[in-house]
Amino acid sequence: METVNIDIVSDVVCPWCYLGKNRLDQAIANVAGEINVAIQWRPYQLNPDLPPEGIDHKEHLAAKLGGQAAVDEAHRTLEGLGVEDGIAFDFDAVKVSPNTLDAHRLIRWAATGGEAAQDAVVSLLFKANFEEGRNLGDHAVLLGIAEQAGLERPVIAALLASDADKDAVRQEIDMAREIGVTGVPCFIIEQQYAVMGAQSVEVLTSALREIAQMKAEHPAH
């Protein structure tokens, strides 16, 4: 059975990234038993300049999208798509636009516990932000998520209190921009094929099958 490797460049405050993750999960379920899929989450910051404590979410979004009407329309669209993909978006609950650097550090550390631990942390971060309106810049929220995902709370607490991996995460984000990632989610498959945006389950499923077949026909020497 072929293994298809995917690096997912994403930000945890990007609703399209949440949709993209759920759709990829469905695509992976579609190919279960025929293809192994190995995933690595890579950081991206839509708003790297936000202060550590974050800012008012509604004001920030209205300024970014060009007014409340545009925000409302975008939210209606996303809520409709969320229903189809099993996501209960609650945009009214979101009060803070956080700086996501610490959330990305947590995702990075979760990888040391294996792919399942990292996946759990990413899912919990998306859910906390978009369905529960929790502030992903708050260390108490991040520690709760770490613990829920089975990570060692005291270890994560010590790491969050330090500057550990801040530069490494920023370098990864810079690298993503250098290779041309301007929007997220971006699925980089086998380090050579980029699939941009929250594609449909069907598109992702066929991409996995095509690339697995190519790998089978042209094995690496």
Short mmCIF file of all heavy atoms in Angstrom, two decimals, residues 128-188:
data_model
loop_
_atom_site.label_atom_id
_atom_site.label_comp_id
_atom_site.label_asym_id
_atom_site.label_seq_id
_atom_site.Cartn_x
_atom_site.Cartn_y
_atom_site.Cartn_z
N ALA A 128 -12.36 24.84 19.33
CA ALA A 128 -12.36 25.83 20.42
C ALA A 128 -12.61 27.23 19.87
O ALA A 128 -13.40 28.00 20.42
CB ALA A 128 -11.04 25.79 21.17
N ASN A 129 -11.96 27.56 18.76
CA ASN A 129 -12.10 28.89 18.20
C ASN A 129 -13.46 29.09 17.53
O ASN A 129 -14.19 30.03 17.85
CB ASN A 129 -10.98 29.15 17.18
CG ASN A 129 -11.03 30.56 16.62
OD1 ASN A 129 -10.78 31.54 17.32
ND2 ASN A 129 -11.37 30.69 15.35
N PHE A 130 -13.80 28.19 16.61
CA PHE A 130 -14.95 28.43 15.74
C PHE A 130 -16.29 27.95 16.29
O PHE A 130 -17.33 28.43 15.87
CB PHE A 130 -14.72 27.80 14.36
CG PHE A 130 -13.72 28.55 13.54
CD1 PHE A 130 -12.48 28.01 13.26
CD2 PHE A 130 -14.01 29.82 13.06
CE1 PHE A 130 -11.55 28.72 12.50
CE2 PHE A 130 -13.10 30.54 12.31
CZ PHE A 130 -11.87 29.99 12.03
N GLU A 131 -16.28 26.99 17.19
CA GLU A 131 -17.53 26.46 17.72
C GLU A 131 -17.79 26.87 19.16
O GLU A 131 -18.93 26.89 19.60
CB GLU A 131 -17.55 24.93 17.59
CG GLU A 131 -17.43 24.45 16.14
CD GLU A 131 -17.62 22.95 15.99
OE1 GLU A 131 -18.48 22.37 16.68
OE2 GLU A 131 -16.90 22.34 15.17
N GLU A 132 -16.72 27.20 19.88
CA GLU A 132 -16.87 27.53 21.30
C GLU A 132 -16.45 28.96 21.63
O GLU A 132 -16.64 29.43 22.75
CB GLU A 132 -16.04 26.54 22.14
CG GLU A 132 -16.53 25.09 21.98
CD GLU A 132 -15.49 24.06 22.41
OE1 GLU A 132 -14.37 24.46 22.81
OE2 GLU A 132 -15.80 22.86 22.34
N GLY A 133 -15.87 29.66 20.64
CA GLY A 133 -15.49 31.05 20.85
C GLY A 133 -14.43 31.27 21.91
O GLY A 133 -14.40 32.30 22.58
N ARG A 134 -13.54 30.27 22.06
CA ARG A 134 -12.47 30.42 23.06
C ARG A 134 -11.25 31.10 22.44
O ARG A 134 -11.01 30.99 21.24
CB ARG A 134 -12.11 29.05 23.63
CG ARG A 134 -13.26 28.49 24.47
CD ARG A 134 -13.23 26.99 24.57
NE ARG A 134 -12.18 26.55 25.46
CZ ARG A 134 -11.68 25.31 25.48
NH1 ARG A 134 -12.14 24.40 24.64
NH2 ARG A 134 -10.74 24.97 26.31
N ASN A 135 -10.51 31.82 23.27
CA ASN A 135 -9.38 32.64 22.81
C ASN A 135 -8.12 31.77 22.69
O ASN A 135 -7.54 31.37 23.70
CB ASN A 135 -9.17 33.79 23.81
CG ASN A 135 -7.96 34.64 23.45
OD1 ASN A 135 -7.33 34.46 22.42
ND2 ASN A 135 -7.64 35.58 24.32
N LEU A 136 -7.69 31.52 21.46
CA LEU A 136 -6.52 30.66 21.24
C LEU A 136 -5.20 31.33 21.58
O LEU A 136 -4.14 30.72 21.46
CB LEU A 136 -6.50 30.17 19.78
CG LEU A 136 -7.70 29.33 19.33
CD1 LEU A 136 -7.46 28.76 17.94
CD2 LEU A 136 -8.01 28.22 20.32
N GLY A 137 -5.26 32.59 22.01
CA GLY A 137 -4.05 33.25 22.49
C GLY A 137 -3.88 33.08 24.00
O GLY A 137 -2.85 33.43 24.56
N ASP A 138 -4.89 32.54 24.65
CA ASP A 138 -4.91 32.37 26.11
C ASP A 138 -4.22 31.06 26.47
O ASP A 138 -4.65 29.99 26.04
CB ASP A 138 -6.38 32.35 26.57
CG ASP A 138 -6.52 32.25 28.08
OD1 ASP A 138 -5.56 31.81 28.75
OD2 ASP A 138 -7.60 32.60 28.59
N HIS A 139 -3.16 31.15 27.28
CA HIS A 139 -2.40 29.94 27.63
C HIS A 139 -3.25 28.92 28.39
O HIS A 139 -3.03 27.71 28.24
CB HIS A 139 -1.16 30.31 28.45
CG HIS A 139 -0.07 30.89 27.62
ND1 HIS A 139 1.20 31.16 28.09
CD2 HIS A 139 -0.04 31.26 26.30
CE1 HIS A 139 1.96 31.67 27.13
NE2 HIS A 139 1.22 31.74 26.03
N ALA A 140 -4.22 29.38 29.16
CA ALA A 140 -5.09 28.44 29.89
C ALA A 140 -5.89 27.60 28.90
O ALA A 140 -6.07 26.39 29.10
CB ALA A 140 -6.02 29.20 30.82
N VAL A 141 -6.37 28.22 27.83
CA VAL A 141 -7.11 27.50 26.79
C VAL A 141 -6.19 26.50 26.10
O VAL A 141 -6.55 25.33 25.90
CB VAL A 141 -7.70 28.49 25.75
CG1 VAL A 141 -8.27 27.74 24.55
CG2 VAL A 141 -8.78 29.35 26.40
N LEU A 142 -4.97 26.94 25.76
CA LEU A 142 -4.02 26.06 25.08
C LEU A 142 -3.62 24.88 25.96
O LEU A 142 -3.50 23.74 25.48
CB LEU A 142 -2.78 26.85 24.65
CG LEU A 142 -3.01 27.96 23.62
CD1 LEU A 142 -1.71 28.70 23.32
CD2 LEU A 142 -3.61 27.41 22.33
N LEU A 143 -3.46 25.13 27.25
CA LEU A 143 -3.08 24.04 28.17
C LEU A 143 -4.21 23.02 28.30
O LEU A 143 -3.97 21.81 28.35
CB LEU A 143 -2.72 24.61 29.55
CG LEU A 143 -1.35 25.29 29.63
CD1 LEU A 143 -1.19 26.02 30.96
CD2 LEU A 143 -0.23 24.27 29.45
N GLY A 144 -5.45 23.51 28.34
CA GLY A 144 -6.60 22.61 28.41
C GLY A 144 -6.66 21.71 27.19
O GLY A 144 -6.92 20.50 27.29
N ILE A 145 -6.39 22.30 26.03
CA ILE A 145 -6.40 21.54 24.77
C ILE A 145 -5.27 20.52 24.75
O ILE A 145 -5.46 19.37 24.35
CB ILE A 145 -6.33 22.51 23.57
CG1 ILE A 145 -7.69 23.20 23.39
CG2 ILE A 145 -5.91 21.79 22.29
CD1 ILE A 145 -7.68 24.35 22.42
N ALA A 146 -4.09 20.95 25.20
CA ALA A 146 -2.94 20.04 25.25
C ALA A 146 -3.25 18.82 26.10
O ALA A 146 -3.00 17.67 25.71
CB ALA A 146 -1.72 20.78 25.79
N GLU A 147 -3.84 19.08 27.26
CA GLU A 147 -4.18 18.00 28.19
C GLU A 147 -5.23 17.07 27.58
O GLU A 147 -5.13 15.84 27.66
CB GLU A 147 -4.70 18.61 29.49
CG GLU A 147 -4.69 17.64 30.66
CD GLU A 147 -4.93 18.37 31.99
OE1 GLU A 147 -5.52 19.46 32.00
OE2 GLU A 147 -4.50 17.82 33.02
N GLN A 148 -6.23 17.66 26.95
CA GLN A 148 -7.29 16.88 26.32
C GLN A 148 -6.74 15.96 25.23
O GLN A 148 -7.25 14.86 25.00
CB GLN A 148 -8.32 17.83 25.70
CG GLN A 148 -9.74 17.31 25.72
CD GLN A 148 -10.72 18.33 25.13
OE1 GLN A 148 -10.52 19.53 25.25
NE2 GLN A 148 -11.76 17.84 24.50
N ALA A 149 -5.68 16.42 24.56
CA ALA A 149 -5.07 15.64 23.48
C ALA A 149 -4.05 14.63 24.00
O ALA A 149 -3.41 13.93 23.21
CB ALA A 149 -4.42 16.57 22.47
N GLY A 150 -3.89 14.59 25.32
CA GLY A 150 -2.99 13.61 25.91
C GLY A 150 -1.55 14.06 26.08
O GLY A 150 -0.66 13.25 26.35
N LEU A 151 -1.30 15.36 25.92
CA LEU A 151 0.06 15.87 26.13
C LEU A 151 0.28 16.14 27.61
O LEU A 151 -0.67 16.29 28.38
CB LEU A 151 0.28 17.15 25.31
CG LEU A 151 0.01 17.07 23.80
CD1 LEU A 151 0.32 18.40 23.14
CD2 LEU A 151 0.82 15.96 23.15
N GLU A 152 1.54 16.24 28.00
CA GLU A 152 1.89 16.47 29.41
C GLU A 152 1.70 17.95 29.74
O GLU A 152 2.48 18.80 29.31
CB GLU A 152 3.36 16.06 29.66
CG GLU A 152 3.63 14.59 29.45
CD GLU A 152 3.13 13.74 30.60
OE1 GLU A 152 2.86 14.30 31.68
OE2 GLU A 152 2.99 12.51 30.43
N ARG A 153 0.69 18.25 30.54
CA ARG A 153 0.37 19.65 30.84
C ARG A 153 1.55 20.43 31.44
O ARG A 153 1.84 21.55 30.99
CB ARG A 153 -0.84 19.70 31.79
CG ARG A 153 -1.36 21.12 32.02
CD ARG A 153 -2.49 21.17 33.04
NE ARG A 153 -2.94 22.53 33.27
CZ ARG A 153 -4.05 23.06 32.78
NH1 ARG A 153 -4.87 22.31 32.05
NH2 ARG A 153 -4.38 24.31 33.03
N PRO A 154 2.28 19.87 32.45
CA PRO A 154 3.39 20.65 33.02
C PRO A 154 4.49 20.96 32.00
O PRO A 154 5.08 22.04 32.02
CB PRO A 154 3.93 19.74 34.13
CG PRO A 154 2.85 18.75 34.41
CD PRO A 154 2.12 18.58 33.13
N VAL A 155 4.73 20.03 31.10
CA VAL A 155 5.76 20.24 30.06
C VAL A 155 5.33 21.37 29.13
O VAL A 155 6.10 22.29 28.84
CB VAL A 155 5.99 18.94 29.25
CG1 VAL A 155 6.93 19.19 28.07
CG2 VAL A 155 6.53 17.84 30.14
N ILE A 156 4.08 21.31 28.67
CA ILE A 156 3.57 22.35 27.75
C ILE A 156 3.52 23.71 28.46
O ILE A 156 3.83 24.74 27.85
CB ILE A 156 2.17 21.97 27.21
CG1 ILE A 156 2.22 20.63 26.46
CG2 ILE A 156 1.63 23.07 26.31
CD1 ILE A 156 3.14 20.60 25.25
N ALA A 157 3.16 23.71 29.75
CA ALA A 157 3.11 24.97 30.51
C ALA A 157 4.49 25.62 30.56
O ALA A 157 4.63 26.84 30.36
CB ALA A 157 2.59 24.70 31.93
N ALA A 158 5.51 24.80 30.80
CA ALA A 158 6.88 25.33 30.86
C ALA A 158 7.33 25.85 29.49
O ALA A 158 7.96 26.91 29.39
CB ALA A 158 7.83 24.24 31.35
N LEU A 159 6.96 25.13 28.45
CA LEU A 159 7.34 25.56 27.09
C LEU A 159 6.63 26.86 26.70
O LEU A 159 7.25 27.77 26.13
CB LEU A 159 7.00 24.46 26.08
CG LEU A 159 7.90 23.22 26.09
CD1 LEU A 159 7.27 22.10 25.27
CD2 LEU A 159 9.29 23.54 25.56
N LEU A 160 5.33 26.94 27.00
CA LEU A 160 4.58 28.16 26.66
C LEU A 160 5.12 29.38 27.39
O LEU A 160 5.09 30.50 26.85
CB LEU A 160 3.09 27.97 26.99
CG LEU A 160 2.24 27.20 25.98
CD1 LEU A 160 0.86 26.95 26.54
CD2 LEU A 160 2.15 27.94 24.64
N ALA A 161 5.59 29.16 28.60
CA ALA A 161 6.11 30.29 29.41
C ALA A 161 7.47 30.75 28.89
O ALA A 161 7.95 31.82 29.27
CB ALA A 161 6.22 29.86 30.87
N SER A 162 8.08 29.95 28.02
CA SER A 162 9.39 30.30 27.46
C SER A 162 9.23 30.81 26.03
O SER A 162 8.11 30.93 25.53
CB SER A 162 10.28 29.05 27.45
OG SER A 162 9.85 28.16 26.42
N ASP A 163 10.36 31.08 25.39
CA ASP A 163 10.33 31.49 23.97
C ASP A 163 10.61 30.31 23.04
O ASP A 163 10.89 30.50 21.85
CB ASP A 163 11.38 32.58 23.72
CG ASP A 163 10.94 33.93 24.29
OD1 ASP A 163 9.72 34.14 24.41
OD2 ASP A 163 11.82 34.75 24.63
N ALA A 164 10.53 29.09 23.57
CA ALA A 164 10.87 27.89 22.81
C ALA A 164 10.14 27.84 21.47
O ALA A 164 8.92 27.98 21.42
CB ALA A 164 10.53 26.64 23.62
N ASP A 165 10.92 27.66 20.42
CA ASP A 165 10.40 27.42 19.05
C ASP A 165 9.67 28.60 18.42
O ASP A 165 9.12 28.44 17.32
CB ASP A 165 9.51 26.18 19.02
CG ASP A 165 10.31 24.89 19.19
OD1 ASP A 165 11.45 24.84 18.68
OD2 ASP A 165 9.81 23.95 19.82
N LYS A 166 9.67 29.76 19.05
CA LYS A 166 9.03 30.92 18.39
C LYS A 166 9.72 31.23 17.06
O LYS A 166 9.06 31.44 16.04
CB LYS A 166 9.08 32.15 19.30
CG LYS A 166 8.03 32.13 20.40
CD LYS A 166 8.03 33.42 21.21
CE LYS A 166 6.94 33.37 22.28
NZ LYS A 166 6.93 34.58 23.13
N ASP A 167 11.06 31.24 17.10
CA ASP A 167 11.80 31.55 15.87
C ASP A 167 11.62 30.45 14.82
O ASP A 167 11.49 30.74 13.64
CB ASP A 167 13.29 31.74 16.18
CG ASP A 167 13.56 33.06 16.90
OD1 ASP A 167 12.68 33.94 16.85
OD2 ASP A 167 14.63 33.19 17.52
N ALA A 168 11.57 29.20 15.27
CA ALA A 168 11.41 28.08 14.34
C ALA A 168 10.07 28.16 13.63
O ALA A 168 9.98 27.92 12.41
CB ALA A 168 11.54 26.75 15.09
N VAL A 169 9.02 28.51 14.37
CA VAL A 169 7.69 28.64 13.76
C VAL A 169 7.68 29.80 12.76
O VAL A 169 7.18 29.68 11.64
CB VAL A 169 6.60 28.83 14.83
CG1 VAL A 169 5.26 29.23 14.20
CG2 VAL A 169 6.42 27.56 15.64
N ARG A 170 8.27 30.93 13.16
CA ARG A 170 8.32 32.09 12.25
C ARG A 170 9.10 31.75 10.97
O ARG A 170 8.72 32.18 9.88
CB ARG A 170 8.96 33.29 12.96
CG ARG A 170 8.06 33.90 14.04
CD ARG A 170 8.64 35.22 14.53
NE ARG A 170 7.87 35.78 15.63
CZ ARG A 170 8.29 35.81 16.91
NH1 ARG A 170 9.48 35.32 17.23
NH2 ARG A 170 7.53 36.33 17.84
N GLN A 171 10.17 30.99 11.13
CA GLN A 171 10.97 30.61 9.95
C GLN A 171 10.16 29.72 9.01
O GLN A 171 10.23 29.87 7.78
CB GLN A 171 12.24 29.87 10.40
CG GLN A 171 13.33 30.81 10.88
CD GLN A 171 14.46 30.09 11.61
OE1 GLN A 171 14.44 28.87 11.75
NE2 GLN A 171 15.43 30.85 12.08
N GLU A 172 9.37 28.82 9.58
CA GLU A 172 8.52 27.95 8.75
C GLU A 172 7.48 28.78 7.98
O GLU A 172 7.19 28.49 6.82
CB GLU A 172 7.80 26.91 9.62
CG GLU A 172 8.57 25.63 9.78
CD GLU A 172 7.65 24.46 10.10
OE1 GLU A 172 6.90 24.03 9.21
OE2 GLU A 172 7.68 23.99 11.24
N ILE A 173 6.94 29.78 8.66
CA ILE A 173 5.95 30.65 8.00
C ILE A 173 6.61 31.43 6.87
O ILE A 173 6.06 31.54 5.77
CB ILE A 173 5.29 31.60 9.03
CG1 ILE A 173 4.45 30.78 10.03
CG2 ILE A 173 4.43 32.65 8.33
CD1 ILE A 173 4.01 31.55 11.25
N ASP A 174 7.81 31.95 7.13
CA ASP A 174 8.56 32.67 6.09
C ASP A 174 8.84 31.76 4.90
O ASP A 174 8.74 32.17 3.74
CB ASP A 174 9.88 33.21 6.65
CG ASP A 174 9.67 34.38 7.61
OD1 ASP A 174 8.57 34.97 7.60
OD2 ASP A 174 10.61 34.69 8.38
N MET A 175 9.19 30.50 5.21
CA MET A 175 9.50 29.55 4.16
C MET A 175 8.28 29.27 3.29
O MET A 175 8.36 29.18 2.06
CB MET A 175 10.00 28.24 4.79
CG MET A 175 10.82 27.36 3.87
SD MET A 175 11.74 26.13 4.82
CE MET A 175 10.40 25.10 5.43
N ALA A 176 7.11 29.16 3.93
CA ALA A 176 5.87 28.94 3.18
C ALA A 176 5.62 30.10 2.22
O ALA A 176 5.27 29.89 1.05
CB ALA A 176 4.69 28.79 4.14
N ARG A 177 5.85 31.32 2.71
CA ARG A 177 5.64 32.49 1.84
C ARG A 177 6.65 32.49 0.69
O ARG A 177 6.31 32.84 -0.44
CB ARG A 177 5.77 33.78 2.66
CG ARG A 177 4.61 33.94 3.66
CD ARG A 177 4.40 35.39 4.07
NE ARG A 177 3.18 35.51 4.85
CZ ARG A 177 3.13 35.53 6.18
NH1 ARG A 177 4.25 35.47 6.87
NH2 ARG A 177 1.98 35.63 6.81
N GLU A 178 7.88 32.07 0.99
CA GLU A 178 8.93 32.07 -0.04
C GLU A 178 8.62 31.08 -1.16
O GLU A 178 8.96 31.31 -2.32
CB GLU A 178 10.30 31.74 0.59
CG GLU A 178 10.94 32.95 1.26
CD GLU A 178 12.08 32.55 2.21
OE1 GLU A 178 12.65 31.46 2.02
OE2 GLU A 178 12.39 33.34 3.12
N ILE A 179 7.96 29.96 -0.82
CA ILE A 179 7.65 28.98 -1.87
C ILE A 179 6.32 29.30 -2.56
O ILE A 179 5.85 28.55 -3.39
CB ILE A 179 7.64 27.52 -1.34
CG1 ILE A 179 6.56 27.31 -0.27
CG2 ILE A 179 9.01 27.12 -0.83
CD1 ILE A 179 6.31 25.85 0.08
N GLY A 180 5.73 30.46 -2.17
CA GLY A 180 4.57 30.93 -2.91
C GLY A 180 3.22 30.70 -2.27
O GLY A 180 2.19 30.88 -2.92
N VAL A 181 3.20 30.31 -1.00
CA VAL A 181 1.91 30.14 -0.31
C VAL A 181 1.41 31.53 0.09
O VAL A 181 2.01 32.20 0.91
CB VAL A 181 2.04 29.24 0.94
CG1 VAL A 181 0.71 29.16 1.67
CG2 VAL A 181 2.52 27.85 0.55
N THR A 182 0.31 31.95 -0.52
CA THR A 182 -0.24 33.28 -0.22
C THR A 182 -1.60 33.18 0.46
O THR A 182 -2.14 34.15 0.96
CB THR A 182 -0.39 34.12 -1.49
OG1 THR A 182 -1.15 33.37 -2.44
CG2 THR A 182 0.96 34.45 -2.09
N GLY A 183 -2.18 31.99 0.44
CA GLY A 183 -3.46 31.76 1.08
C GLY A 183 -3.52 30.36 1.65
O GLY A 183 -2.77 29.48 1.21
N VAL A 184 -4.36 30.18 2.64
CA VAL A 184 -4.47 28.86 3.26
C VAL A 184 -5.95 28.44 3.30
O VAL A 184 -6.82 29.29 3.24
CB VAL A 184 -3.87 28.88 4.69
CG1 VAL A 184 -2.37 28.92 4.62
CG2 VAL A 184 -4.38 30.06 5.53
N PRO A 185 -6.21 27.13 3.34
CA PRO A 185 -5.23 26.05 3.46
C PRO A 185 -4.51 25.79 2.14
O PRO A 185 -5.04 26.05 1.06
CB PRO A 185 -6.10 24.84 3.82
CG PRO A 185 -7.41 25.11 3.16
CD PRO A 185 -7.60 26.60 3.29
N CYS A 186 -3.30 25.27 2.28
CA CYS A 186 -2.53 24.82 1.13
C CYS A 186 -2.04 23.41 1.45
O CYS A 186 -1.32 23.22 2.44
CB CYS A 186 -1.37 25.76 0.85
SG CYS A 186 -0.37 25.21 -0.54
N PHE A 187 -2.46 22.46 0.65
CA PHE A 187 -2.04 21.06 0.84
C PHE A 187 -0.87 20.79 -0.09
O PHE A 187 -1.03 20.81 -1.31
CB PHE A 187 -3.19 20.10 0.50
CG PHE A 187 -4.45 20.37 1.29
CD1 PHE A 187 -5.45 21.19 0.78
CD2 PHE A 187 -4.64 19.80 2.55
CE1 PHE A 187 -6.62 21.43 1.50
CE2 PHE A 187 -5.80 20.04 3.27
CZ PHE A 187 -6.78 20.86 2.75
N ILE A 188 0.30 20.54 0.48
CA ILE A 188 1.48 20.24 -0.34
C ILE A 188 1.67 18.73 -0.30
O ILE A 188 2.00 18.16 0.75
CB ILE A 188 2.73 20.99 0.17
CG1 ILE A 188 2.47 22.50 0.14
CG2 ILE A 188 3.95 20.64 -0.67
CD1 ILE A 188 3.53 23.34 0.83
#
